[in-house]
């Protein structure tokens, strides 16, 4: 989830771009005014009066406020209007807050719960790692990254950078924080209140339908099976957090009580981690064939499989745990459990 270790090329490229830009500006003279057609700026020097009275330009500068990020205090626009999110997992918060995102990573752009909204506002797909040209051309007034990302000092030359830690805050608390960051605290409060109303309505129904049965979240991958807990997406925040459903003892200890949010197991011990109800999907982090698990006799022998109590998650979009993704997951999880 972090881009750590992959930003060094960005640091070098951005530095070169800034130096080249400065040199290009210093080489301009009134004699070369015809050589830059299409540049959109005149080459004549400002008058003395213009140089000494920059009040008009000052009026266009956005108001700045102090914000406490994971890396300390940073000055940010009081009302950001061009946000670039380089975390992917936070983009849905901005969508829920109706905050303008001008650039996001491909993972967020392909998230089925927010892709239409991002397309409607013209958000640029930055790929897995943005190029220097993309970042500069987007002219962001705020950039969001994970703490510890390499090259932050260079990103700060493009726009104010706010650092966050993945999973440090409960999703409701992060919603409040990003509401504060974007000057949309009322919108954050409204979403939380509406969410809690839905949970209050659905929780007793789901708990009655599930009863004492246990629930597991399992992802086959190349090395075995991932077992997910309460804070790593894939519906865990809803299943174990909001609905307070029971996990089998081993997932409870290793993926939830440990605080890690997940555990990795071999196929041989799968029955010890499989609940009476299973939510599952292939692991999107590699290209392994999930049939190696799903077609294995050990999987077929699980009570949840025999009783048709297995529900397929979206392998890409359901990895996210932002408000928009949680809204969609809540509908799917509740409908699945209530119909079970």
């Amino acid at each position: 989830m972090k881009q750590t270790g992959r930003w060094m090329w960005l640091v070098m490229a951005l530095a070169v771009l800034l130096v080249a830009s400065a040199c290009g500006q210093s080489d301009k003279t009134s004699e070369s005014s015809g050589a830059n057609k299409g540049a959109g700026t005149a080459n004549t020097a400002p008058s003395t009066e213009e140089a000494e009275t920059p009040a008009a330009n000052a009026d266009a500068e956005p108001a700045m406020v102090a914000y406490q990020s994971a890396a300390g205090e940073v000055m940010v626009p009081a009302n950001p209007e061009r946000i670039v999110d380089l975390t992917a997992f936070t983009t849905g918060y901005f969508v829920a807050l109706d905050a303008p995102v001008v650039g996001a990573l491909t993972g967020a752009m392909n998230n089925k719960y927010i892709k239409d909204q991002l397309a409607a506002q013209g958000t640029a797909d930055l790929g897995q790692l943005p190029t220097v040209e993309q970042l500069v051309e987007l002219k962001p007034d705020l950039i969001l990254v994970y703490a510890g990302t390499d090259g932050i000092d260079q990103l700060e030359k493009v726009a104010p950078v706010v650092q966050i830690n993945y999973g440090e805050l409960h999703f409701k608390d992060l919603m409040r924080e990003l509401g504060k960051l974007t000057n949309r605290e009322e919108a954050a409060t409204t979403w939380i209140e509406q969410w809690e109303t839905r949970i209050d309505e659905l929780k007793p129904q789901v708990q009655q339908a599930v009863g004492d049965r246990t629930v597991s979240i399992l992802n086959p991958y190349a090395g075995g099976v991932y077992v997910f807990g309460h804070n790593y997406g894939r519906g865990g925040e809803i299943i174990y957090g909001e609905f307070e459903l029971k996990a089998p003892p081993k997932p409870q200890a290793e993926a939830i009580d440990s605080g890690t949010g997940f555990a990795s197991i071999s196929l041989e011990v799968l029955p010890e981690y499989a609940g009476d109800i299973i939510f599952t999907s292939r692991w999107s982090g590699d290209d392994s064939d999930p049939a190696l698990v799903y077609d294995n006799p050990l999987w077929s022998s699980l009570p949840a499989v025999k009783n048709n109590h297995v529900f397929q998650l979206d392998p890409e979009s359901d990895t996210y745990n932002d408000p928009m993704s949680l809204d969609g997951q809540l509908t799917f999880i509740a409908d699945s459990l209530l119909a079970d």
Side-chain angles (χ1 to χ4, degrees), residues 15 78 82 108 121 165 283:
R82 300 187 62 80
Q121 63 178 255
N165 292 313
W283 170 246

Side-chain angles (χ1 to χ4, degrees), residues 187-202:
T189 299
T190 297
W191 183 88
I192 292 169
E193 290 174 348
Q194 292 174 345
W195 171 266
E196 291 177 342
T197 296
R198 292 181 67 193
I199 295 298
D200 289 343
E201 177 184 352
L202 290 170

Side-chain angles (χ1 to χ4, degrees), residues 124-278:
D125 187 338
L126 299 175
Q128 299 299 328
L129 267 178
T131 65
V132 173
E133 291 78 10
Q134 283 174 306
L135 290 177
V136 173
E137 289 175 5
L138 285 176
K139 299 179 181 179
D141 57 8
L142 180 68
I143 299 174
L144 191 78
V145 301
Y146 282 125
T149 298
D150 288 343
I152 288 176
D153 57 336
Q154 297 300 316
L155 291 177
E156 289 171 339
K157 296 178 181 179
V158 179
V161 177
V162 168
Q163 301 180 51
I164 63 171
N165 292 313
Y166 178 84
E168 182 178 59
L169 296 177
H170 186 275
F171 68 87
K172 294 178 189 176
D173 294 328
L174 184 54
M175 184 62 158
R176 293 185 184 96
E177 276 300 309
L178 295 177
K180 182 188 305 181
L181 175 63
T182 59
N183 194 26
R184 288 166 169 79
E185 292 175 271
E186 185 176 345
T189 299
T190 297
W191 183 88
I192 292 169
E193 290 174 348
Q194 292 174 345
W195 171 266
E196 291 177 342
T197 296
R198 292 181 67 193
I199 295 298
D200 289 343
E201 177 184 352
L202 290 170
K203 182 176 179 178
Q205 300 177 46
V206 169
Q207 288 185 336
Q208 182 177 3
V210 174
D212 291 332
R213 291 181 293 172
T214 57
V215 184
S216 291
I217 305 172
L218 306 174
N219 274 188
Y221 80 109
V225 179
Y226 280 125
V227 181
F228 289 97
H230 62 304
N231 64 352
Y232 231 80
R234 300 161 182 86
E237 288 81 3
I238 298 167
I239 292 169
Y240 302 125
E242 302 290 29
F243 288 161
E244 298 183 307
L245 301 180
K246 294 192 303 182
K250 288 204 170 182
Q252 178 69 41
E254 297 176 25
I256 299 176
D257 294 342
S258 68
T260 60
F262 72 95
S264 176
I265 63 171
S266 64
L267 184 60
E268 290 74 19
V269 299
L270 177 60
E272 301 176 45
Y273 292 80
D276 302 306
I277 299 169
I278 295 174

